[in-house]
Amino acid sequence: EAGVAQSPRYKIIEKRQSVAFWCNPISGHATLYWYQQILGQGPKLLIQFQNNGVVDDSQLPKDRFSAERLKGVDSTLKIQPAKLEDSAVYLCASSPRTGGSNEQFFGPGTRLTVL
Amino acid sequence: GQQVMQIPQYQHVQEGEDFTTYCNSSTTLSNIQWYKQRPGGHPVFLIQLVKSGEVKKQKRLTFQFGEAKKNSSLHITATQTTDVGTYFCAGPNSGGSNYKLTFGKGTLLTVNP
């Protein structure tokens, strides 16, 4: 079974530039998560999708971050404009369904460096 | 909001020694999950505990959920170099129809061969 795919794996940009990350979850997984992991900390949820609808985006900085999940499969996370403090690893995860108790399957992440 | 705290933040052991990390939640949890993240890698699910006082074992790893369902621990017996990584606990938010995990900051384990 293929895992969660993410691209790019690494990205270096200058502050105020824009960047986009892509995620392809495990086939059939209805729930998709985007996390931000700053060095030395645990993953912090940015946004959660159930199929193509947003379940939770309470911790998403909506003035600069946006995300979509078209057709309930792939998802993109965009930052525009980027700030220095956005340097982090952006992890995508998926699980078969929301609610109840489900393990989350994480992708390899995209390491973003903002200069 | 809900907080999940882990101690210690770092732990360095000699190979063969035991290791324990502790997780405490500010609220009662319906369940708790544990993940391992190797250096440069991504979090990988280890286990989920649901019942009060539950104890589960995976080879050298023993996971425990507290009676009050507000704390948990992970104990590794006779550590090996393959155990190196950061161990995270994560608990679901309390209340509401949404289900999302709050991760602790993790415990970084290093093992000296």
Side-chain angles (χ1 to χ4, degrees):
Chain A
E1 178 183 77
V4 177
Q6 288 188 248
S7 67
R9 292 295 310 277
Y10 306 91
K11 190 73 177 179
I12 300 174
I13 62 173
E14 297 194 347
K15 59 183 179 183
R16 290 188 288 273
Q17 286 187 323
S18 302
V19 65
F21 313 126
W22 173 81
C23 172
N24 186 13
I26 292 173
S27 178
H29 279 194
T31 308
L32 184 147
Y33 312 82
W34 281 103
Y35 288 90
Q36 179 192 59
Q37 187 175 27
I38 293 173
L39 188 64
Q41 297 187 20
K44 170 190 166 186
L45 180 69
L46 293 176
I47 190 167
Q48 177 181 343
F49 292 94
Q50 171 75 2
N51 297 310
N52 61 347
V54 175
V55 176
D56 188 292
D57 63 358
S58 58
Q59 298 188 101
L60 186 74
K62 298 179 186 63
D63 59 331
R64 299 184 299 106
F65 286 64
S66 64
E68 60 182 9
R69 189 183 184 194
L70 298 176
K71 301 181 181 178
V73 182
D74 293 8
S75 178
T76 56
L77 176 69
K78 297 179 181 178
I79 308 175
Q80 180 181 11
K83 292 185 176 181
L84 296 178
E85 58 260 37
D86 297 333
S87 294
V89 175
Y90 291 84
L91 294 162
C92 179
S94 68
S95 64
R97 65 180 187 275
T98 192
S101 304
N102 284 285
E103 69 177 277
Q104 296 186 13
F105 297 81
F106 284 82
T110 297
R111 183 176 298 276
L112 174 67
T113 302
V114 182
L115 303 175
Chain B
Q2 179 188 58
Q3 292 185 2
V4 176
M5 294 147 286
Q6 281 186 257
I7 55 169
Q9 191 174 358
Y10 308 97
Q11 184 76 59
H12 178 76
V13 300
Q14 288 292 128
E15 190 171 22
E17 292 182 337
D18 292 356
F19 159 77
T20 305
T21 175
Y22 300 91
C23 178
N24 289 283
S25 169
S26 58
T27 60
T28 301
L29 301 171
S30 58
N31 66 81
I32 193 160
Q33 298 182 9
W34 284 91
Y35 290 79
K36 176 183 178 181
Q37 186 172 25
R38 294 183 186 275
H42 56 276
V44 175
F45 175 82
L46 293 177
I47 207 163
Q48 176 178 277
L49 304 172
V50 178
K51 299 177 182 177
S52 170
E54 187 171 15
V55 177
K56 286 188 174 180
K57 292 189 177 183
Q58 292 179 349
K59 297 182 180 178
R60 296 177 295 104
L61 276 62
T62 301
F63 303 84
Q64 188 165 2
F65 202 8
E67 294 290 341
K69 302 183 76 173
K70 294 184 72 174
N71 57 72
S72 181
S73 65
L74 158 58
H75 179 81
I76 303 179
T77 303
T79 55
Q80 300 175 358
T81 55
T82 53
D83 296 326
V84 166
T86 302
Y87 293 85
F88 294 99
C89 62
N93 65 297
S94 54
S97 59
N98 180 27
Y99 178 93
K100 66 181 184 183
L101 289 178
T102 298
F103 282 79
K105 288 189 173 182
T107 296
L108 172 60
L109 171 65
T110 56
V111 179
N112 196 30

mmCIF file of all heavy atoms in Angstrom, chain A residues 33 35 37 40-43 45 48 55-56 58-59 91 98-104 106-108, chain B residues 9 30-31 33 35 37 40-45 48 50 88 98-106:
data_model
loop_
_atom_site.group_PDB
_atom_site.id
_atom_site.type_symbol
_atom_site.label_atom_id
_atom_site.label_comp_id
_atom_site.label_asym_id
_atom_site.label_seq_id
_atom_site.Cartn_x
_atom_site.Cartn_y
_atom_site.Cartn_z
ATOM 1 N N TYR A 33 -5.018 15.882 7.041
ATOM 2 C CA TYR A 33 -4.540 16.890 7.991
ATOM 3 C C TYR A 33 -3.269 17.548 7.450
ATOM 4 O O TYR A 33 -2.427 16.882 6.859
ATOM 5 C CB TYR A 33 -4.178 16.251 9.336
ATOM 6 C CG TYR A 33 -5.198 15.303 9.922
ATOM 7 C CD1 TYR A 33 -5.265 13.971 9.500
ATOM 8 C CD2 TYR A 33 -6.050 15.709 10.944
ATOM 9 C CE1 TYR A 33 -6.175 13.086 10.052
ATOM 10 C CE2 TYR A 33 -6.961 14.833 11.507
ATOM 11 C CZ TYR A 33 -7.017 13.526 11.052
ATOM 12 O OH TYR A 33 -7.922 12.643 11.617
ATOM 13 N N TYR A 35 -0.132 19.635 9.173
ATOM 14 C CA TYR A 35 0.507 20.025 10.423
ATOM 15 C C TYR A 35 1.737 20.883 10.124
ATOM 16 O O TYR A 35 2.395 20.721 9.099
ATOM 17 C CB TYR A 35 0.992 18.801 11.213
ATOM 18 C CG TYR A 35 -0.085 17.957 11.843
ATOM 19 C CD1 TYR A 35 -0.658 16.896 11.151
ATOM 20 C CD2 TYR A 35 -0.502 18.196 13.152
ATOM 21 C CE1 TYR A 35 -1.630 16.099 11.745
ATOM 22 C CE2 TYR A 35 -1.474 17.408 13.756
ATOM 23 C CZ TYR A 35 -2.036 16.355 13.040
ATOM 24 O OH TYR A 35 -2.992 15.578 13.633
ATOM 25 N N GLN A 37 5.375 21.579 11.926
ATOM 26 C CA GLN A 37 6.260 21.121 12.992
ATOM 27 C C GLN A 37 7.511 21.983 13.020
ATOM 28 O O GLN A 37 8.367 21.876 12.129
ATOM 29 C CB GLN A 37 6.628 19.649 12.837
ATOM 30 C CG GLN A 37 7.421 19.114 14.029
ATOM 31 C CD GLN A 37 7.687 17.624 13.945
ATOM 32 O OE1 GLN A 37 7.744 17.039 12.874
ATOM 33 N NE2 GLN A 37 7.865 16.990 15.103
ATOM 34 N N GLY A 40 12.084 20.902 17.254
ATOM 35 C CA GLY A 40 12.049 20.692 18.699
ATOM 36 C C GLY A 40 10.663 20.660 19.304
ATOM 37 O O GLY A 40 10.522 20.566 20.530
ATOM 38 N N GLN A 41 9.648 20.728 18.458
ATOM 39 C CA GLN A 41 8.274 20.706 18.966
ATOM 40 C C GLN A 41 7.457 19.601 18.307
ATOM 41 O O GLN A 41 7.881 19.019 17.301
ATOM 42 C CB GLN A 41 7.610 22.066 18.722
ATOM 43 C CG GLN A 41 8.290 23.206 19.456
ATOM 44 C CD GLN A 41 7.526 24.503 19.337
ATOM 45 O OE1 GLN A 41 6.333 24.511 19.041
ATOM 46 N NE2 GLN A 41 8.210 25.607 19.603
ATOM 47 N N GLY A 42 6.290 19.358 18.866
ATOM 48 C CA GLY A 42 5.394 18.387 18.268
ATOM 49 C C GLY A 42 4.619 18.998 17.116
ATOM 50 O O GLY A 42 4.576 20.222 16.967
ATOM 51 N N PRO A 43 4.029 18.156 16.275
ATOM 52 C CA PRO A 43 3.222 18.678 15.174
ATOM 53 C C PRO A 43 2.045 19.503 15.697
ATOM 54 O O PRO A 43 1.397 19.119 16.674
ATOM 55 C CB PRO A 43 2.730 17.409 14.470
ATOM 56 C CG PRO A 43 3.687 16.340 14.870
ATOM 57 C CD PRO A 43 4.103 16.693 16.259
ATOM 58 N N LEU A 45 -1.569 21.096 14.492
ATOM 59 C CA LEU A 45 -2.558 21.017 13.431
ATOM 60 C C LEU A 45 -2.872 22.392 12.855
ATOM 61 O O LEU A 45 -3.172 23.337 13.589
ATOM 62 C CB LEU A 45 -3.848 20.389 13.969
ATOM 63 C CG LEU A 45 -4.972 20.240 12.948
ATOM 64 C CD1 LEU A 45 -4.610 19.181 11.901
ATOM 65 C CD2 LEU A 45 -6.280 19.886 13.631
ATOM 66 N N GLN A 48 -7.817 20.589 8.978
ATOM 67 C CA GLN A 48 -8.298 19.219 8.853
ATOM 68 C C GLN A 48 -9.459 19.191 7.870
ATOM 69 O O GLN A 48 -10.392 19.983 7.972
ATOM 70 C CB GLN A 48 -8.740 18.700 10.220
ATOM 71 C CG GLN A 48 -9.335 17.308 10.217
ATOM 72 C CD GLN A 48 -9.784 16.861 11.593
ATOM 73 O OE1 GLN A 48 -9.384 17.440 12.606
ATOM 74 N NE2 GLN A 48 -10.598 15.840 11.650
ATOM 75 N N VAL A 55 -13.016 20.652 8.319
ATOM 76 C CA VAL A 55 -13.557 20.298 9.634
ATOM 77 C C VAL A 55 -13.051 21.252 10.700
ATOM 78 O O VAL A 55 -13.791 21.662 11.588
ATOM 79 C CB VAL A 55 -13.190 18.842 10.001
ATOM 80 C CG1 VAL A 55 -13.665 18.506 11.411
ATOM 81 C CG2 VAL A 55 -13.769 17.874 8.988
ATOM 82 N N ASP A 56 -11.767 21.601 10.601
ATOM 83 C CA ASP A 56 -11.163 22.489 11.596
ATOM 84 C C ASP A 56 -10.032 23.265 10.963
ATOM 85 O O ASP A 56 -9.151 22.671 10.348
ATOM 86 C CB ASP A 56 -10.638 21.676 12.786
ATOM 87 C CG ASP A 56 -10.176 22.549 13.947
ATOM 88 O OD1 ASP A 56 -9.168 23.252 13.788
ATOM 89 O OD2 ASP A 56 -10.825 22.523 15.009
ATOM 90 N N SER A 58 -9.007 26.190 12.899
ATOM 91 C CA SER A 58 -8.909 27.200 13.950
ATOM 92 C C SER A 58 -7.482 27.687 14.195
ATOM 93 O O SER A 58 -7.278 28.783 14.705
ATOM 94 C CB SER A 58 -9.499 26.656 15.253
ATOM 95 O OG SER A 58 -8.827 25.465 15.645
ATOM 96 N N GLN A 59 -6.490 26.879 13.850
ATOM 97 C CA GLN A 59 -5.109 27.289 14.080
ATOM 98 C C GLN A 59 -4.391 27.655 12.781
ATOM 99 O O GLN A 59 -3.166 27.783 12.777
ATOM 100 C CB GLN A 59 -4.341 26.173 14.817
ATOM 101 C CG GLN A 59 -4.926 25.866 16.197
ATOM 102 C CD GLN A 59 -4.063 24.913 16.996
ATOM 103 O OE1 GLN A 59 -3.314 25.323 17.877
ATOM 104 N NE2 GLN A 59 -4.171 23.626 16.702
ATOM 105 N N LEU A 91 3.833 18.833 7.526
ATOM 106 C CA LEU A 91 3.475 17.419 7.436
ATOM 107 C C LEU A 91 2.029 17.265 7.005
ATOM 108 O O LEU A 91 1.148 17.945 7.514
ATOM 109 C CB LEU A 91 3.659 16.743 8.792
ATOM 110 C CG LEU A 91 5.075 16.640 9.335
ATOM 111 C CD1 LEU A 91 5.062 16.366 10.835
ATOM 112 C CD2 LEU A 91 5.841 15.552 8.610
ATOM 113 N N THR A 98 -12.918 10.460 10.252
ATOM 114 C CA THR A 98 -12.808 11.372 11.381
ATOM 115 C C THR A 98 -13.691 10.860 12.503
ATOM 116 O O THR A 98 -14.531 10.011 12.295
ATOM 117 C CB THR A 98 -13.223 12.801 10.990
ATOM 118 O OG1 THR A 98 -12.832 13.690 12.033
ATOM 119 C CG2 THR A 98 -14.716 12.899 10.758
ATOM 120 N N GLY A 99 -13.462 11.399 13.659
ATOM 121 C CA GLY A 99 -14.216 10.938 14.817
ATOM 122 C C GLY A 99 -13.721 9.595 15.289
ATOM 123 O O GLY A 99 -12.931 8.936 14.616
ATOM 124 N N GLY A 100 -14.107 9.176 16.437
ATOM 125 C CA GLY A 100 -13.621 7.902 16.952
ATOM 126 C C GLY A 100 -12.133 7.964 17.189
ATOM 127 O O GLY A 100 -11.591 9.014 17.462
ATOM 128 N N SER A 101 -11.472 6.889 17.051
ATOM 129 C CA SER A 101 -10.045 6.841 17.321
ATOM 130 C C SER A 101 -9.340 6.205 16.142
ATOM 131 O O SER A 101 -9.522 5.030 15.864
ATOM 132 C CB SER A 101 -9.784 6.020 18.575
ATOM 133 O OG SER A 101 -10.511 6.545 19.669
ATOM 134 N N ASN A 102 -8.558 6.982 15.440
ATOM 135 C CA ASN A 102 -7.871 6.481 14.275
ATOM 136 C C ASN A 102 -6.428 6.916 14.270
ATOM 137 O O ASN A 102 -6.120 8.063 14.545
ATOM 138 C CB ASN A 102 -8.523 7.006 12.999
ATOM 139 C CG ASN A 102 -9.815 6.299 12.697
ATOM 140 O OD1 ASN A 102 -9.809 5.165 12.262
ATOM 141 N ND2 ASN A 102 -10.914 6.961 12.945
ATOM 142 N N GLU A 103 -5.551 5.990 13.938
ATOM 143 C CA GLU A 103 -4.172 6.386 13.760
ATOM 144 C C GLU A 103 -4.066 7.260 12.530
ATOM 145 O O GLU A 103 -4.856 7.135 11.592
ATOM 146 C CB GLU A 103 -3.275 5.168 13.637
ATOM 147 C CG GLU A 103 -3.454 4.372 12.369
ATOM 148 C CD GLU A 103 -2.483 3.214 12.289
ATOM 149 O OE1 GLU A 103 -1.331 3.453 11.862
ATOM 150 O OE2 GLU A 103 -2.869 2.092 12.644
ATOM 151 N N GLN A 104 -3.095 8.129 12.574
ATOM 152 C CA GLN A 104 -2.835 8.999 11.446
ATOM 153 C C GLN A 104 -1.562 8.537 10.754
ATOM 154 O O GLN A 104 -0.580 8.198 11.407
ATOM 155 C CB GLN A 104 -2.716 10.447 11.911
ATOM 156 C CG GLN A 104 -4.032 10.971 12.502
ATOM 157 C CD GLN A 104 -3.989 12.436 12.847
ATOM 158 O OE1 GLN A 104 -3.085 13.169 12.459
ATOM 159 N NE2 GLN A 104 -4.997 12.885 13.578
ATOM 160 N N PHE A 106 1.414 9.618 8.394
ATOM 161 C CA PHE A 106 2.083 10.847 8.003
ATOM 162 C C PHE A 106 2.908 10.656 6.726
ATOM 163 O O PHE A 106 3.491 9.596 6.490
ATOM 164 C CB PHE A 106 3.021 11.332 9.111
ATOM 165 C CG PHE A 106 2.303 11.980 10.262
ATOM 166 C CD1 PHE A 106 1.731 11.211 11.260
ATOM 167 C CD2 PHE A 106 2.190 13.364 10.333
ATOM 168 C CE1 PHE A 106 1.070 11.808 12.329
ATOM 169 C CE2 PHE A 106 1.525 13.959 11.396
ATOM 170 C CZ PHE A 106 0.956 13.180 12.396
ATOM 171 N N GLY A 107 2.964 11.729 5.941
ATOM 172 C CA GLY A 107 3.874 11.767 4.812
ATOM 173 C C GLY A 107 5.262 12.191 5.264
ATOM 174 O O GLY A 107 5.468 12.509 6.435
ATOM 175 N N PRO A 108 6.233 12.218 4.333
ATOM 176 C CA PRO A 108 7.615 12.549 4.686
ATOM 177 C C PRO A 108 7.820 14.010 5.058
ATOM 178 O O PRO A 108 8.828 14.360 5.654
ATOM 179 C CB PRO A 108 8.400 12.195 3.424
ATOM 180 C CG PRO A 108 7.394 12.309 2.334
ATOM 181 C CD PRO A 108 6.094 11.892 2.916
ATOM 182 N N GLN B 9 12.277 16.245 28.342
ATOM 183 C CA GLN B 9 12.382 16.738 26.971
ATOM 184 C C GLN B 9 13.452 15.962 26.213
ATOM 185 O O GLN B 9 13.333 15.720 25.019
ATOM 186 C CB GLN B 9 12.719 18.221 26.995
ATOM 187 C CG GLN B 9 12.588 18.900 25.637
ATOM 188 C CD GLN B 9 12.782 20.400 25.729
ATOM 189 O OE1 GLN B 9 12.980 20.957 26.809
ATOM 190 N NE2 GLN B 9 12.720 21.072 24.592
ATOM 191 N N SER B 30 -10.257 10.738 26.022
ATOM 192 C CA SER B 30 -11.002 9.539 25.637
ATOM 193 C C SER B 30 -10.027 8.429 25.215
ATOM 194 O O SER B 30 -10.335 7.239 25.334
ATOM 195 C CB SER B 30 -11.950 9.859 24.483
ATOM 196 O OG SER B 30 -11.229 10.360 23.380
ATOM 197 N N ASN B 31 -8.888 8.833 24.711
ATOM 198 C CA ASN B 31 -7.856 7.878 24.339
ATOM 199 C C ASN B 31 -6.547 8.637 24.212
ATOM 200 O O ASN B 31 -6.539 9.877 24.251
ATOM 201 C CB ASN B 31 -8.181 7.180 23.012
ATOM 202 C CG ASN B 31 -8.177 8.131 21.834
ATOM 203 O OD1 ASN B 31 -7.136 8.470 21.289
ATOM 204 N ND2 ASN B 31 -9.353 8.587 21.432
ATOM 205 N N GLN B 33 -2.701 8.443 21.985
ATOM 206 C CA GLN B 33 -1.894 7.780 20.970
ATOM 207 C C GLN B 33 -0.424 8.109 21.196
ATOM 208 O O GLN B 33 -0.090 9.172 21.722
ATOM 209 C CB GLN B 33 -2.312 8.238 19.559
ATOM 210 C CG GLN B 33 -3.744 7.892 19.201
ATOM 211 C CD GLN B 33 -4.122 8.313 17.796
ATOM 212 O OE1 GLN B 33 -3.271 8.723 17.003
ATOM 213 N NE2 GLN B 33 -5.397 8.211 17.459
ATOM 214 N N TYR B 35 3.370 8.158 19.117
ATOM 215 C CA TYR B 35 4.052 8.157 17.830
ATOM 216 C C TYR B 35 5.555 8.215 18.064
ATOM 217 O O TYR B 35 6.025 8.779 19.050
ATOM 218 C CB TYR B 35 3.636 9.373 16.981
ATOM 219 C CG TYR B 35 2.220 9.319 16.470
ATOM 220 C CD1 TYR B 35 1.148 9.639 17.305
ATOM 221 C CD2 TYR B 35 1.948 8.953 15.157
ATOM 222 C CE1 TYR B 35 -0.155 9.588 16.835
ATOM 223 C CE2 TYR B 35 0.642 8.900 14.671
ATOM 224 C CZ TYR B 35 -0.386 9.220 15.525
ATOM 225 O OH TYR B 35 -1.687 9.165 15.055
ATOM 226 N N GLN B 37 9.157 9.375 16.018
ATOM 227 C CA GLN B 37 9.716 10.086 14.871
ATOM 228 C C GLN B 37 11.228 9.922 14.889
ATOM 229 O O GLN B 37 11.906 10.438 15.784
ATOM 230 C CB GLN B 37 9.328 11.571 14.907
ATOM 231 C CG GLN B 37 9.753 12.354 13.685
ATOM 232 C CD GLN B 37 9.176 13.775 13.688
ATOM 233 O OE1 GLN B 37 8.862 14.332 14.734
ATOM 234 N NE2 GLN B 37 9.021 14.373 12.511
ATOM 235 N N GLY B 40 15.067 13.147 11.251
ATOM 236 C CA GLY B 40 14.870 13.408 9.832
ATOM 237 C C GLY B 40 13.658 12.726 9.237
ATOM 238 O O GLY B 40 13.398 12.859 8.033
ATOM 239 N N GLY B 41 12.912 12.012 10.043
ATOM 240 C CA GLY B 41 11.759 11.271 9.536
ATOM 241 C C GLY B 41 10.443 11.913 9.923
ATOM 242 O O GLY B 41 10.395 13.051 10.377
ATOM 243 N N HIS B 42 9.377 11.154 9.734
ATOM 244 C CA HIS B 42 8.061 11.646 10.055
ATOM 245 C C HIS B 42 7.463 10.802 11.177
ATOM 246 O O HIS B 42 7.908 9.676 11.413
ATOM 247 C CB HIS B 42 7.158 11.603 8.816
ATOM 248 C CG HIS B 42 7.059 10.248 8.197
ATOM 249 N ND1 HIS B 42 7.978 9.751 7.307
ATOM 250 C CD2 HIS B 42 6.143 9.263 8.366
ATOM 251 C CE1 HIS B 42 7.636 8.549 6.937
ATOM 252 N NE2 HIS B 42 6.537 8.214 7.559
ATOM 253 N N PRO B 43 6.471 11.327 11.881
ATOM 254 C CA PRO B 43 5.862 10.542 12.966
ATOM 255 C C PRO B 43 5.235 9.259 12.443
ATOM 256 O O PRO B 43 4.568 9.252 11.408
ATOM 257 C CB PRO B 43 4.799 11.490 13.531
ATOM 258 C CG PRO B 43 5.252 12.858 13.134
ATOM 259 C CD PRO B 43 5.897 12.684 11.800
ATOM 260 N N VAL B 44 5.451 8.183 13.199
ATOM 261 C CA VAL B 44 4.873 6.884 12.873
ATOM 262 C C VAL B 44 4.079 6.400 14.074
ATOM 263 O O VAL B 44 4.587 6.398 15.192
ATOM 264 C CB VAL B 44 5.964 5.858 12.504
ATOM 265 C CG1 VAL B 44 5.350 4.473 12.295
ATOM 266 C CG2 VAL B 44 6.722 6.295 11.262
ATOM 267 N N PHE B 45 2.863 6.006 13.824
ATOM 268 C CA PHE B 45 1.968 5.555 14.890
ATOM 269 C C PHE B 45 2.526 4.306 15.562
ATOM 270 O O PHE B 45 2.971 3.366 14.898
ATOM 271 C CB PHE B 45 0.598 5.259 14.279
ATOM 272 C CG PHE B 45 -0.408 4.681 15.224
ATOM 273 C CD1 PHE B 45 -1.133 5.508 16.064
ATOM 274 C CD2 PHE B 45 -0.645 3.315 15.270
ATOM 275 C CE1 PHE B 45 -2.086 4.976 16.919
ATOM 276 C CE2 PHE B 45 -1.578 2.776 16.123
ATOM 277 C CZ PHE B 45 -2.315 3.612 16.951
ATOM 278 N N GLN B 48 -2.446 2.960 20.414
ATOM 279 C CA GLN B 48 -3.513 3.761 20.991
ATOM 280 C C GLN B 48 -4.034 3.055 22.237
ATOM 281 O O GLN B 48 -4.232 1.850 22.233
ATOM 282 C CB GLN B 48 -4.649 3.923 19.980
ATOM 283 C CG GLN B 48 -5.850 4.673 20.521
ATOM 284 C CD GLN B 48 -6.916 4.833 19.470
ATOM 285 O OE1 GLN B 48 -6.850 5.737 18.650
ATOM 286 N NE2 GLN B 48 -7.882 3.946 19.484
ATOM 287 N N VAL B 50 -7.087 3.183 25.202
ATOM 288 C CA VAL B 50 -8.454 3.685 25.331
ATOM 289 C C VAL B 50 -9.016 3.538 26.746
ATOM 290 O O VAL B 50 -9.680 4.433 27.252
ATOM 291 C CB VAL B 50 -9.390 2.953 24.335
ATOM 292 C CG1 VAL B 50 -10.822 3.441 24.487
ATOM 293 C CG2 VAL B 50 -8.914 3.153 22.905
ATOM 294 N N PHE B 88 6.338 10.940 20.813
ATOM 295 C CA PHE B 88 5.264 11.891 21.063
ATOM 296 C C PHE B 88 4.028 11.176 21.578
ATOM 297 O O PHE B 88 3.662 10.112 21.073
ATOM 298 C CB PHE B 88 4.852 12.618 19.771
ATOM 299 C CG PHE B 88 5.883 13.515 19.193
ATOM 300 C CD1 PHE B 88 6.675 13.096 18.131
ATOM 301 C CD2 PHE B 88 6.051 14.805 19.677
ATOM 302 C CE1 PHE B 88 7.626 13.932 17.571
ATOM 303 C CE2 PHE B 88 6.995 15.650 19.128
ATOM 304 C CZ PHE B 88 7.786 15.209 18.075
ATOM 305 N N ASN B 98 -15.854 17.844 16.539
ATOM 306 C CA ASN B 98 -14.613 17.676 15.794
ATOM 307 C C ASN B 98 -13.657 16.790 16.577
ATOM 308 O O ASN B 98 -13.673 16.764 17.795
ATOM 309 C CB ASN B 98 -13.977 19.042 15.545
ATOM 310 C CG ASN B 98 -12.684 18.934 14.772
ATOM 311 O OD1 ASN B 98 -12.482 17.997 14.012
ATOM 312 N ND2 ASN B 98 -11.792 19.873 14.983
ATOM 313 N N TYR B 99 -12.832 16.062 15.857
ATOM 314 C CA TYR B 99 -11.840 15.205 16.492
ATOM 315 C C TYR B 99 -10.488 15.606 15.946
ATOM 316 O O TYR B 99 -10.215 15.413 14.770
ATOM 317 C CB TYR B 99 -12.128 13.741 16.156
ATOM 318 C CG TYR B 99 -11.130 12.772 16.737
ATOM 319 C CD1 TYR B 99 -11.360 12.177 17.967
ATOM 320 C CD2 TYR B 99 -9.956 12.449 16.062
ATOM 321 C CE1 TYR B 99 -10.444 11.284 18.506
ATOM 322 C CE2 TYR B 99 -9.043 11.562 16.591
ATOM 323 C CZ TYR B 99 -9.294 10.975 17.820
ATOM 324 O OH TYR B 99 -8.391 10.101 18.358
ATOM 325 N N LYS B 100 -9.640 16.166 16.788
ATOM 326 C CA LYS B 100 -8.301 16.498 16.350
ATOM 327 C C LYS B 100 -7.335 16.205 17.481
ATOM 328 O O LYS B 100 -7.693 16.220 18.651
ATOM 329 C CB LYS B 100 -8.209 17.969 15.948
ATOM 330 C CG LYS B 100 -8.396 18.961 17.085
ATOM 331 C CD LYS B 100 -8.307 20.404 16.585
ATOM 332 C CE LYS B 100 -8.406 21.396 17.725
ATOM 333 N NZ LYS B 100 -8.404 22.801 17.249
ATOM 334 N N LEU B 101 -6.095 15.886 17.099
ATOM 335 C CA LEU B 101 -5.089 15.512 18.076
ATOM 336 C C LEU B 101 -4.244 16.705 18.484
ATOM 337 O O LEU B 101 -3.867 17.521 17.645
ATOM 338 C CB LEU B 101 -4.167 14.441 17.500
ATOM 339 C CG LEU B 101 -4.745 13.045 17.305
ATOM 340 C CD1 LEU B 101 -3.697 12.132 16.689
ATOM 341 C CD2 LEU B 101 -5.232 12.475 18.628
ATOM 342 N N THR B 102 -3.959 16.765 19.768
ATOM 343 C CA THR B 102 -2.973 17.708 20.284
ATOM 344 C C THR B 102 -1.749 16.905 20.679
ATOM 345 O O THR B 102 -1.847 15.987 21.515
ATOM 346 C CB THR B 102 -3.506 18.476 21.501
ATOM 347 O OG1 THR B 102 -4.643 19.232 21.114
ATOM 348 C CG2 THR B 102 -2.433 19.416 22.043
ATOM 349 N N PHE B 103 -0.614 17.241 20.073
ATOM 350 C CA PHE B 103 0.624 16.527 20.340
ATOM 351 C C PHE B 103 1.399 17.203 21.462
ATOM 352 O O PHE B 103 1.417 18.431 21.582
ATOM 353 C CB PHE B 103 1.505 16.500 19.087
ATOM 354 C CG PHE B 103 1.084 15.495 18.056
ATOM 355 C CD1 PHE B 103 0.025 15.751 17.201
ATOM 356 C CD2 PHE B 103 1.755 14.281 17.930
ATOM 357 C CE1 PHE B 103 -0.370 14.826 16.251
ATOM 358 C CE2 PHE B 103 1.372 13.348 16.975
ATOM 359 C CZ PHE B 103 0.307 13.627 16.137
ATOM 360 N N GLY B 104 2.081 16.388 22.257
ATOM 361 C CA GLY B 104 3.046 16.930 23.195
ATOM 362 C C GLY B 104 4.302 17.355 22.448
ATOM 363 O O GLY B 104 4.414 17.145 21.241
ATOM 364 N N LYS B 105 5.249 17.939 23.181
ATOM 365 C CA LYS B 105 6.483 18.392 22.539
ATOM 366 C C LYS B 105 7.445 17.246 22.274
ATOM 367 O O LYS B 105 8.423 17.405 21.544
ATOM 368 C CB LYS B 105 7.163 19.452 23.389
ATOM 369 C CG LYS B 105 6.444 20.789 23.393
ATOM 370 C CD LYS B 105 7.273 21.868 24.060
ATOM 371 C CE LYS B 105 6.610 23.229 23.897
ATOM 372 N NZ LYS B 105 7.435 24.310 24.498
ATOM 373 N N GLY B 106 7.187 16.106 22.874
ATOM 374 C CA GLY B 106 7.998 14.934 22.613
ATOM 375 C C GLY B 106 9.177 14.782 23.547
ATOM 376 O O GLY B 106 9.624 15.745 24.191
#
